[in-house]
Amino acid sequence: MTTRSRFTKLALAAAAVLLCPGAAAPAAKVEMTTPVFEMFRLAPGKTEDFIRSMAEWDKVSMAGGQPPTQLFLHAGGEGWDVLLYKPARPKPTPAQEAAMAAKAKELGLPNGSRYFLQIREWMADHIHFDAAGPTTAEQWLLDLERERAQARQGK
């Protein structure tokens, strides 16, 4: 098995654990972001720079009323250093987006191509994936049966 495939399997296992299958869904229908997982193998000597940058970007999120990214650090296993989890949350309003943009500018954080170049200097490998959930096996099966019934009715 290649290091890349072990890395991918570890990322998927982490996603399964972090989705917290017992969590309840919100009662009201609110447009939500998608839960996002990112797993990094960092370049040697770049862990502190990466984590300091995450702390700065958390300030941007919080300026817009968004929660900070959940950071998990390697404690066992192989092939990864940092796992980020961004849970589903309500999409930011235009006012929140403006507040976040203003905070990023105030902090002098790079964007666009400059952000891409900076973050790539810190990582050796990266896996990013979105996830649907959280849900439970029972709820997923109920949703499946509802979808099948709708398909039979031609909806």
Side-chain angles (χ1 to χ4, degrees):
M1 181 181 302
T2 67
T3 300
R4 180 75 178 178
S5 63
R6 282 192 297 264
F7 193 56
T8 302
K9 285 182 180 183
L10 179 60
L12 294 173
V17 170
L18 293 173
L19 280 175
C20 305
K29 188 71 172 173
V30 174
E31 188 176 6
M32 301 289 284
T33 62
T34 302
V36 174
F37 298 86
E38 293 183 90
M39 185 174 262
F40 295 88
R41 187 169 350 142
L42 298 173
K46 297 299 181 178
T47 301
E48 183 178 351
D49 292 338
F50 179 86
I51 293 173
R52 285 188 184 280
S53 174
M54 289 305 309
E56 292 293 292
W57 284 105
D58 281 344
K59 291 176 186 175
V60 171
S61 294
M62 291 183 289
Q66 299 293 316
T69 296
Q70 295 178 20
L71 179 81
F72 296 82
L73 300 172
H74 181 264
E78 61 178 276
W80 68 283
D81 298 306
V82 176
L83 173 70
L84 304 180
Y85 173 52
K86 300 171 187 173
R89 55 189 174 243
K91 290 193 178 225
T93 65
Q96 288 173 314
E97 288 177 350
M100 290 186 287
K103 188 63 160 181
K105 184 175 181 178
E106 172 192 320
L107 295 172
L109 296 174
N111 59 23
S113 297
R114 293 181 312 119
Y115 174 79
F116 175 79
L117 289 174
Q118 182 183 67
I119 198 82
R120 289 299 300 162
E121 288 177 7
W122 298 334
M123 72 174 87
D125 198 4
H126 172 246
I127 292 177
H128 172 117
F129 53 97
D130 300 341
T135 191
T136 63
E138 181 180 5
Q139 185 59 54
W140 188 87
L141 291 169
L142 289 170
D143 291 343
L144 174 64
E145 292 306 320
R146 180 184 42 77
E147 290 172 18
R148 285 180 172 157
Q150 289 174 342
R152 284 191 294 273
Q153 295 172 359
K155 292 183 181 178

